Amino acid sequence: MRSGQRFDDLSERATGWEFAWLDGRHVSSEPSWSYPEMARGLIRRAVGLLDLDTGSGELLAELAPLPPHTVAVESWTRNVAVARDRLGPFNVPVLTELPGGEDEFDVVLSRHGRLPAADIARLLRRGGRVLTQQVGSDDLAAVNTSLKAPPAYPRRWNADVAANALREAGLRVTGVREERPAVTFHDVGAVVRQLRDLPWQIRDFSPERYSDALGRLDSFIRLHGGFTVTAHRFLVEAVRP
């Protein structure tokens, strides 16, 4: 860290879930699958599409052309306005709650969002499919350990747990993948910014509260050239029989 620079100088939160600011400051290895390519394959012939926790709507917009009946759901207030601006040209409404009907969609997508299995089963038509990529409970666990913070997730969340929940809701699981790609932070400011943008990682985080631990981590990064941890990603596909 440059002399006189404070940790919170580097911690202003980004709008939505766009992380271009991290380019060059951390390196992550993506999972071997391509979620966007898999999603495009599913929606190609779909009439109805539901995107859960769409965030800023950036990924959904990239999947265009979209099915004629496409609905996005986003509950975080800061993201809703951004998503509505981005998805408005595609005539995609952005709701703050799940639709109340049933048998409405051919495809349900959820990337790094909720996975309400019973509601997904309710909303899918017969033969409809759900594709979800999730952040597992081991994600960036070494960050919490290095800062002596509590674990981010109180309960186990992995591919087996998610797949079992979908099965219990009456869906047939057709594909499961799980990987732990590496993430390297090249300066402590990138760690601070990550924790500010993902507030669930360390729920009581502030640069002041964790200043001593951040100082030690800064020294480690300067000495070793980076701080490498592992992400935790899994993908589950299922169909409503």
Side-chain angles (χ1 to χ4, degrees), residues 40-97:
R40 286 190 185 95
L42 283 180
I43 70 175
R44 192 171 295 126
R45 296 181 180 84
V47 175
L49 167 64
L50 177 65
D51 189 36
L52 298 177
D53 291 338
T54 195
S56 65
E58 181 180 27
L59 177 60
L60 185 58
E62 290 176 359
L63 297 178
L66 300 171
H69 178 51
T70 296
V71 176
V73 177
E74 176 56 41
S75 58
W76 191 42
T77 303
R78 187 185 180 102
N79 273 345
V80 171
V82 179
R84 285 176 174 163
D85 285 345
R86 179 169 280 130
L87 297 175
F90 301 94
N91 296 314
V92 174
V94 178
L95 310 181
T96 57
E97 301 288 344

Side-chain angles (χ1 to χ4, degrees), residues 48-166:
L49 167 64
L50 177 65
D51 189 36
L52 298 177
D53 291 338
T54 195
S56 65
E58 181 180 27
L59 177 60
L60 185 58
E62 290 176 359
L63 297 178
L66 300 171
H69 178 51
T70 296
V71 176
V73 177
E74 176 56 41
S75 58
W76 191 42
T77 303
R78 187 185 180 102
N79 273 345
V80 171
V82 179
R84 285 176 174 163
D85 285 345
R86 179 169 280 130
L87 297 175
F90 301 94
N91 296 314
V92 174
V94 178
L95 310 181
T96 57
E97 301 288 344
L98 288 169
E102 56 185 41
D103 302 328
E104 185 176 350
F105 300 99
D106 305 297
V107 176
V108 173
L109 300 176
S110 178
R111 182 179 181 273
H112 301 179
R114 292 172 293 169
L115 195 67
D119 288 308
I120 290 171
R122 167 178 61 86
L123 289 163
L124 277 175
R125 298 186 179 111
R126 292 196 179 277
R129 296 180 175 275
V130 55
L131 173 69
T132 182
Q133 178 177 299
Q134 293 284 316
V135 177
S137 54
D138 293 337
D139 191 60
L140 306 182
V143 172
N144 296 60
T145 300
S146 71
L147 298 182
K148 301 187 184 306
Y153 301 91
R155 291 183 295 276
R156 190 166 55 99
W157 181 236
N158 59 26
D160 287 341
V161 174
N164 286 335
L166 293 172

Side-chain angles (χ1 to χ4, degrees), residues 14-48:
T15 301
W17 300 117
E18 299 170 22
F19 296 104
W21 59 270
L22 274 171
D23 289 349
R25 300 179 68 183
H26 95 323
V27 176
S28 83
S29 300
E30 296 296 326
S32 61
W33 62 82
S34 170
Y35 177 88
E37 287 183 12
M38 297 177 74
R40 286 190 185 95
L42 283 180
I43 70 175
R44 192 171 295 126
R45 296 181 180 84
V47 175

